[in-house]
Structures are given as C-alpha cells and as structure tokens.
Amino acid sequence: VSGTEGFFQRVWALTERIPPGRVSTYGGVSMLLLGHARAARTVGWALHGLSEAQAEVVPWWRVINAAGRISTSCASHSAQLQAARLADEGVQVDAAGRVDLARYGWFGDEG
DNA sequence: CTTCTGACTGGGA
DNA sequence: GTCCCAGCCAGAA
C-alpha cells in the first residue's frame, strides 16, 4: 500500500486488501497508511467519495469506526446495507450495527 | 494561501 | 453505555 496516487487511492487500495469476513476501522486504515490514526476522518471521507463502480470493487462495508459500530450516513451506502454486506460475509453484526473488532478486526497482515 | 467540510477518535459527565 | 466537545488530517472552492 504505497505510491504517489494520492491518499484516497491508497485508502481504496488498502480497503481492497481487507480479507472477506474481516473488518477494519478508519483509524486502523489511517494507521496502516500514514502510521497514525489522525487521518481517520479523511479515510471515511475517501470511502465517502467512492462511486458506484468503485463501491463494487472496494469493500467499503468492511470499514467501521473504532467503537465497532457502523457510522455510515450515505443514502446509497446505508448502515443497514453495510450490516447486510458484513452478515453476508459471515461477520456477526449486532442489532445496533455493532461488530466485535476483537473477533473480526483486521489491522494489517496478521500472518 | 485561507476557509470549510467530513462514513473519526479519545476523554469527561 | 451513551452523549457532547475539541483535535486531527486531506481535499475542494
């Protein structure tokens, strides 16, 4: 996950690296990209800038907040849709849209 | 360059 | 556990 393509491009690239059945956090992505979670907001913003075509190749639904909750506000990408996507991959999502990061959390290549 | 915004994060009540 | 406030970074006008 490196290059001069721009921060957004890097965010999308890293998001594609998130294995199915796992989830990551905005801060986690920022951490893997820049080395710090300060740009967590920018990460969410990058995913917010995803187009429909990109949304099909970039698993944006595998990215949630540090609290393990879905913060989505997009009409096309509602929290309900994200929860459904996660559930479709085997990720157990709470009724409130909460996910156990300790169980499904992914913050880089574990192996 | 300056200003404003955004799918965040941590600490306090 | 939930809600509110202040700080952070990157992009667009």
Side-chain angles (χ1 to χ4, degrees):
Chain A
V1 186
S2 63
T4 56
E5 310 255 354
F7 189 72
F8 280 33
Q9 194 71 33
R10 293 167 68 184
V11 172
W12 301 334
L14 180 61
T15 305
E16 290 185 64
R17 291 164 65 88
I18 302 176
R22 301 265 186 242
V23 293
S24 188
T25 66
Y26 303 97
V29 174
S30 176
M31 179 64 78
L32 294 173
L33 257 45
L34 304 176
H36 56 77
R38 325 279 190 196
R41 299 203 53 155
T42 315
V43 172
W45 195 33
L47 295 177
H48 177 67
L50 282 172
S51 48
E52 294 184 31
Q54 289 281 54
E56 294 190 23
V57 297
V58 179
W60 54 269
W61 55 88
R62 295 182 194 152
V63 185
I64 58 181
N65 59 8
R69 270 186 309 188
I70 300 175
S71 183
T72 329
S73 207
C74 259
S76 301
H77 311 134
S78 61
Q80 195 172 21
L81 175 61
Q82 185 166 7
R85 287 281 193 175
L86 291 173
D88 188 49
E89 294 188 343
V91 178
Q92 204 164 11
V93 184
D94 191 301
R98 287 186 301 196
V99 178
D100 185 2
L101 290 174
R103 185 168 161 78
Y104 304 102
W106 179 87
F107 301 95
D109 297 314
E110 298 173 340

